[in-house]
Amino acid sequence: MQGPTVIDLLARSKKPLFTFELLPPLKGHSIERIYRTIESLLEYAPAYINFTSHRNEVVLAERPDGLLEKRVTRKRPGTIALAAAVKYKYNVNVVPHLLCGGFTKEETENVLIEMNFLGINDVLALRGDPPKGSRVFIPEPDGHKNSNELVEQIANMNKGHYIDPDLKNMTATSFCIGVAAYPEKHFEAPNMTYDLTNLKRKVDAGASYIVTQMFFDNAKFYAFRDALRAMGITVPLIPGIKPVSAMTDVNLLPQTFHIDIPEELVHELSKCRTDEEAREAGIEWATVQCRDLLKNEVPGIHYYTLGRSDNIARIVKNSF
């Protein structure tokens, strides 16, 4: 029997939810590190745990004759199996990520069928990034070109509608669908209005809640929330937080995620001489952020851990 979904947990909870996100291990690595990270955070009662998904990559490998050939690989496989292992080991809700990029519609349907068999009824629907080395997102042949199409496919399965129209007596699924949003605008969107319009398409297609990209300035989140509500988007909006953890983050995070670092935080990081000092500054900044968000009635806070949990544990302990 399937348990409560994310939207159920949000509706039932009398306090904001604590949730976090993990990367699957690199191919060939053990699941034990994932378990250790989860166990270090269990005392804070996470409502659910997200598991990212990664598309296939094309890499150049040298052949015995010295020439290079293209090979397709997936560096972090096993998202669904990992989510199931965690769900039943720790009796916690899990939310696997599902991507448009790298998957056909039939492959997506088959993954969703497997999730349904495993009793996993939460999913975060994402377009995904362009292939490594490319600036343009290109869907697979017979794949989805954007996430609202992916949301629609999942929502159709919830109505018992599968790809093959000749199937009879199809079982309706019961997936709760989350989607992503960008308080500072998706870098491919020409303006915020365009980006919000795309977000509304995802919600109209069947998304039940929204989780945001990381941000470091709460004022931008509140402005985004106001703009979202003005567009008629009323589903729960969950802020995503990633604390700075290294001195290089001040440059790498804006480059990688197309976000701004506030001048005050840049100034604090400029005084750091080691990664450990930068990590402490990141914990302090994120703690202040989270306390303010909780005072301003967010339904929960979602943390991007990137596999490290000690800083998240301190922030949660000092915020919730």
Side-chain angles (χ1 to χ4, degrees), residues 25-36:
L26 288 166
K27 182 179 285 188
H29 287 225
S30 170
I31 197 173
E32 294 303 322
R33 182 177 177 182
I34 297 291
Y35 289 160
R36 289 195 297 271

Side-chain angles (χ1 to χ4, degrees), residues 9 30 114 138 141 150 174 189 242 245 264 268 292 310 312:
L9 294 170
S30 170
E114 290 179 7
I138 301 174
L150 175 56
S174 55
K242 182 204 175 301
S245 58
E264 185 181 348
E268 290 301 314
D292 182 70
D310 57 309
I312 303 300

Side-chain angles (χ1 to χ4, degrees), residues 154-215:
I154 303 168
N156 282 338
M157 288 182 65
N158 285 346
K159 300 171 186 173
H161 301 156
Y162 289 65
I163 293 172
D164 185 348
D166 295 326
L167 294 176
K168 304 296 183 183
N169 302 316
M170 294 172 289
T171 299
T173 56
S174 55
F175 290 109
C176 173
I177 310 165
V179 293
Y182 304 84
E184 298 176 62
K185 185 184 78 62
H186 192 281
F187 74 99
E188 294 178 19
N191 54 60
M192 182 58 82
T193 300
Y194 183 96
D195 206 25
L196 284 168
T197 301
N198 282 337
L199 179 58
K200 191 169 190 307
R201 289 192 186 101
K202 292 189 278 189
V203 173
D204 290 345
S208 295
Y209 68 96
I210 301 164
V211 60
T212 77
Q213 173 64 281
M214 68 183 73
F215 58 91

Side-chain angles (χ1 to χ4, degrees), residues 109-122:
E109 182 175 273
N110 291 339
V111 168
L112 289 164
I113 290 170
E114 290 179 7
M115 289 172 56
N116 191 49
F117 289 163
L118 289 165
I120 298 173
N121 55 347
D122 284 293

Side-chain angles (χ1 to χ4, degrees), residues 40-237:
S40 70
L41 293 171
L42 281 179
E43 67 175 289
Y44 305 105
Y48 57 87
I49 304 171
N50 279 38
F51 292 94
T52 65
S53 180
H54 299 261
R55 64 178 298 156
N56 288 340
E57 295 181 25
V58 176
V59 298
L60 294 176
E62 186 173 353
R63 302 189 325 197
D65 60 9
L67 296 177
L68 297 177
E69 67 176 4
K70 291 183 177 180
R71 292 181 184 172
V72 177
T73 183
R74 180 165 292 160
K75 293 184 177 180
R76 295 183 183 271
T79 295
I80 305 304
L82 173 62
V86 168
K87 174 181 176 68
Y88 294 110
K89 181 178 177 66
Y90 297 107
N91 190 30
V92 64
N93 276 51
V94 292
V95 185
H97 294 189
L98 200 58
L99 304 179
C100 299
F103 297 91
T104 66
K105 295 173 186 175
E106 184 171 2
E107 288 171 333
T108 295
E109 182 175 273
N110 291 339
V111 168
L112 289 164
I113 290 170
E114 290 179 7
M115 289 172 56
N116 191 49
F117 289 163
L118 289 165
I120 298 173
N121 55 347
D122 284 293
V123 61
L124 191 72
L126 306 166
R127 190 200 70 176
D129 296 326
K132 190 174 182 180
S134 173
R135 298 178 65 182
V136 179
F137 179 84
I138 301 174
E140 294 295 300
D142 196 33
H144 296 300
K145 62 180 180 293
N146 51 53
S147 53
N148 67 279
E149 293 179 352
L150 175 56
V151 171
E152 184 176 11
Q153 180 179 4
I154 303 168
N156 282 338
M157 288 182 65
N158 285 346
K159 300 171 186 173
H161 301 156
Y162 289 65
I163 293 172
D164 185 348
D166 295 326
L167 294 176
K168 304 296 183 183
N169 302 316
M170 294 172 289
T171 299
T173 56
S174 55
F175 290 109
C176 173
I177 310 165
V179 293
Y182 304 84
E184 298 176 62
K185 185 184 78 62
H186 192 281
F187 74 99
E188 294 178 19
N191 54 60
M192 182 58 82
T193 300
Y194 183 96
D195 206 25
L196 284 168
T197 301
N198 282 337
L199 179 58
K200 191 169 190 307
R201 289 192 186 101
K202 292 189 278 189
V203 173
D204 290 345
S208 295
Y209 68 96
I210 301 164
V211 60
T212 77
Q213 173 64 281
M214 68 183 73
F215 58 91
F216 292 91
D217 183 350
N218 285 4
K220 292 186 176 182
F221 172 81
Y222 299 137
F224 178 75
R225 184 171 65 179
D226 290 345
L228 183 147
R229 301 308 182 213
M231 289 277 293
I233 303 172
T234 59
V235 298
L237 176 68

